[in-house]
Amino acid sequence: EFTKDTVIVVFGASGDLAKKKTFPALFGLFTEDLLPSNTSIIGYARSPIELEDFRKRISSYFKTPTPELEQKAKDFVALCTYVSGNYDKDESFLNLLSHVESIEEKHETKNRLFYLAVPPSVFLPVATQLKKHLHPGDSGVARVIVEKPFGHDLASSEELQKGLAPLWTEEEIFRIDHYLGKEMVKNILPFRFSNQFINAAWNKDNIANIQISFKEPFGTEGRGGYFNDIGIIRDVMQNHLLQVLCLIGMERPVSTNAEDIRDEKVKLLRAVQPLSMDDVILGQYGASEDGTKPAYVDDETVPKDSRAVTFAALHMQIHNERWEGVPFILRAGKALDQAKVEVRIQYKDAAKGMFNSLPRNELVIRIQPSESIYAKMNSKLPGYSTKNIVTDLDLTYHDRYEGIRIPEAYESLILDCIKGVHSNFVRDDELKVSWKIFTPLLHEIENNKDIVPEIYPYGSRAPESLPKFLSERNYRRGDTE
Ligand code: BG6
């Protein structure tokens, strides 16, 4: 664990991710007193920026509603400096090294954390230069946090890994999937395995289907250039939603140790059938029905005939004892009717014959907004009636845990990295199996020009064919969704 004397270098410091997520997360940790004592933070990017401008720029994303926090923001930026340089030149990294060393003069140890918020094209050059010039060797510890995308498909991801592995050990690498830092995602394993009544019914005998859904109410506004080659499947499904699927589907790990957890994830992923076109619905948003919101292809950075996928529903099949025959439906879409990420577990029909057409039980794990877990249950309407009604067992965090601050995903993950805990980061073999599941489908979509996504209006619930797709997969729509 880095407990003191730490230098954090954020590469890509002038980029969006660094401004919106990385620096605010570091500031969040600072306000909670969770950064190692004597931490210095260096922003690094290509463009020369005056120190004062840099400090202003990063703090413009901090939330400082009180004078105390305003003061904290000032104290925090005083820890930050900026170095500009290239991503592949020796002299740039030697210059960075001398800056780091000048800070470390007062330090007893060399704890260096490198955060790579850089485009994939410069990822390897930076990792190479860092190893060459800034790895402290035996005189300290270095860790590297890397951001997605980790490749574009199985081959490119393996290529990247081949370049990286001789430089940095798995022990030193922290591949971030920020969904693993979300409060409710971190609760999945404790919730499943520490509650016997939940754990005992977590299988194909009791569960009819599992839906993992991601909805965003906005399109790719301004990010079309990035998104067009990526699509929603690579953007959030191969990583974020698949990680949630792992936590929902995996067997109980031997312990909470990182390797035990990641071993079970890999085992589960190896039992997932690779996807094909039989298992999917693909969509792309058109203009909103009232004409106020643009279609995806109206984005100037996007080709007019783009077939990019902005919505997908995928039927994942897991071939093992626990899940054989239970559909896992992943769905994700941009420009839909609401913002919501949740896991919905629908149980099998109960008490057929005794009661007619009972709604099925559902257990919902709401990841965002407003973290909650609730169960839809059947109960007799109180009083003289003999009718069954649906009721909720409801654990909504902001009601139950009032006053407890829920950290941002990035805060929690950067803190894990400072502590050297890998449980919530993606291991190399895990990455490889996850690409194996998605690559055949992604290639099929890209190579077959006859595959055209279904257009759905901006702001709608989903493409029109979704309800049929779901009911063919044993999903019964309740009155609750
Ligand atoms: C990112 C995707 O990884 O996750 C974005 O690139 C997406 O397209 C985002 O909007 C969603 O994250 P969150 O934390 O806002 O749910």
Side-chain angles (χ1 to χ4, degrees):
E1 181 170 1
F2 293 169
T3 51
K4 59 175 183 179
D5 296 348
T6 301
V7 176
I8 301 176
V9 188
V10 180
F11 291 87
S14 56
D16 238 28
L17 183 81
K19 280 187 293 189
K20 291 188 184 149
K21 300 285 186 191
T22 318
F23 282 104
L26 289 167
F27 175 57
L29 291 173
F30 177 76
T31 60
E32 299 278 320
D33 239 346
L34 290 169
L35 288 180
S37 61
N38 231 346
T39 291
S40 300
I41 299 168
I42 304 169
Y44 184 100
R46 268 184 288 226
S47 38
I49 308 172
E50 289 300 322
L51 181 58
E52 277 321 302
D53 289 342
F54 174 69
R55 289 176 170 168
K56 257 189 229 144
R57 209 186 269 202
I58 54 174
S59 51
S60 68
Y61 280 91
F62 298 168
K63 292 195 187 82
T64 51
T66 62
E68 287 80 18
L69 282 170
E70 245 169 64
Q71 185 53 47
K72 288 256 184 197
K74 284 189 190 131
D75 299 344
F76 175 81
V77 294
L79 306 176
C80 299
T81 50
Y82 180 80
V83 174
S84 71
N86 250 299
Y87 286 134
D88 55 359
K89 293 251 170 13
D90 288 315
E91 65 258 30
S92 298
F93 282 78
L94 287 169
N95 178 38
L96 176 63
L97 176 67
S98 66
H99 186 68
V100 169
E101 282 178 336
S102 70
I103 293 170
E104 283 174 343
E105 266 171 22
K106 302 162 276 174
H107 290 180
E108 278 170 32
T109 49
K110 291 180 181 164
N111 294 324
R112 297 178 183 168
L113 197 169
F114 305 117
Y115 193 115
L116 270 55
V118 295
S121 55
V122 295
F123 179 74
L124 258 188
V126 175
T128 309
Q129 286 290 341
L130 280 177
K131 173 69 186 201
K132 195 166 160 195
H133 297 298
L134 280 111
H135 195 293
D138 292 339
S139 62
V141 177
R143 293 184 183 140
V144 189
I145 298 184
V146 296
E147 277 283 347
K148 76 174 180 105
F150 312 123
H152 202 66
D153 58 9
L154 180 60
S156 54
S157 151
E158 290 206 289
E159 197 57 40
L160 193 61
Q161 190 46 30
K162 245 195 345 219
L164 202 59
L167 304 170
W168 295 90
T169 63
E170 268 307 289
E171 205 42 43
E172 292 169 323
I173 295 178
F174 292 75
R175 290 180 199 83
I176 257 195
D177 183 312
H178 78 283
Y179 266 60
L180 291 176
K182 291 190 186 265
E183 183 65 34
M184 205 38 108
V185 176
K186 288 192 297 181
N187 188 25
I188 294 175
L189 293 186
F191 178 72
R192 276 185 61 189
F193 293 113
S194 67
N195 293 303
Q196 186 51 22
F197 72 104
I198 298 291
N199 182 33
W202 204 261
N203 54 43
K204 62 174 189 271
D205 299 334
N206 298 286
I207 291 176
N209 61 74
I210 296 184
Q211 322 264 325
I212 302 174
S213 314
F214 168 103
K215 285 179 151 197
E216 273 181 350
F218 45 85
T220 54
E221 285 102 22
R223 281 176 90 220
Y226 156 83
F227 191 84
N228 205 53
D229 292 335
I230 305 262
I232 195 84
I233 299 177
R234 286 189 181 92
D235 193 35
V236 302
M237 300 176 99
Q238 178 268 344
N239 35 49
H240 307 331
L241 299 194
L242 192 70
Q243 283 297 332
V244 174
L245 177 138
C246 282
L247 296 167
I248 294 287
M250 68 195 250
E251 296 302 311
R252 188 173 75 199
V254 177
S255 77
T256 54
N257 170 298
E259 298 325 316
D260 287 335
I261 291 176
R262 298 191 298 178
D263 285 349
E264 290 302 335
K265 283 189 182 173
V266 172
K267 210 164 99 201
L268 181 87
L269 289 171
R270 289 176 55 212
V272 176
Q273 181 173 307
L275 290 159
S276 78
M277 279 305 291
D278 300 335
D279 311 314
V280 309
I281 291 184
L282 305 175
Q284 186 189 83
Y285 66 86
S288 62
E289 268 162 355
D290 63 6
T292 57
K293 296 282 187 186
Y296 174 71
V297 292
D298 291 338
D299 188 325
E300 275 168 20
T301 54
V302 164
K304 288 280 165 265
D305 58 350
S306 168
R307 293 187 298 121
V309 170
T310 63
F311 175 97
L314 313 174
H315 174 181
M316 321 271 301
Q317 303 180 51
I318 303 177
H319 298 306
N320 67 13
E321 266 310 290
R322 185 187 289 273
W323 297 120
E324 192 62 59
V326 180
F328 279 69
I329 312 283
L330 263 51
R331 42 177 157 140
K334 300 240 169 216
L336 296 176
D337 57 339
Q338 56 178 338
K340 193 155 83 178
V341 182
E342 67 173 30
V343 182
R344 184 173 292 261
I345 293 144
Q346 190 172 67
Y347 287 83
K348 290 193 165 173
D349 292 315
K352 265 193 191 160
M354 183 180 177
F355 302 111
N356 288 327
S357 62
L358 275 184
R360 287 174 169 173
N361 287 150
E362 286 186 348
L363 177 71
V364 179
I365 301 173
R366 167 83 61 84
I367 295 170
Q368 64 192 39
S370 181
E371 294 83 354
S372 60
I373 298 182
Y374 60 92
K376 293 277 167 196
M377 335 233 318
N378 295 301
S379 185
K380 192 187 90 58
L381 185 68
Y384 294 115
S385 170
T386 55
K387 231 178 106 188
N388 271 307
I389 51 156
V390 175
T391 184
D392 276 348
L393 274 183
D394 186 358
L395 167 62
T396 295
Y397 274 33
H398 69 72
D399 297 339
R400 192 69 56 94
Y401 302 122
E402 226 184 304
I404 298 185
R405 175 178 179 270
I406 296 181
E408 283 292 319
Y410 276 94
E411 288 175 28
S412 141
L413 293 174
I414 293 173
L415 187 62
D416 278 353
C417 176
I418 287 170
K419 291 184 172 160
V421 176
H422 274 90
S423 314
N424 292 319
F425 293 86
V426 181
R427 203 167 66 185
D428 54 349
D429 52 346
E430 201 181 334
L431 188 61
K432 185 169 168 178
V433 260
S434 69
W435 276 120
K436 271 193 184 161
I437 298 168
F438 282 85
T439 297
L441 174 71
L442 291 166
H443 284 177
E444 203 177 338
I445 297 172
E446 269 143 23
N447 298 333
N448 183 351
K449 302 267 182 293
D450 294 335
I451 299 175
V452 178
E454 181 182 336
I455 301 293
Y456 59 95
Y458 196 123
S460 56
R461 264 180 74 93
E464 262 176 15
S465 58
L466 184 71
K468 181 159 172 277
F469 179 86
L470 295 178
S471 63
E472 284 169 359
R473 286 160 178 84
N474 197 19
Y475 174 71
R476 181 128 49 77
R477 179 156 150 63
D479 53 353
T480 55
E481 208 181 334

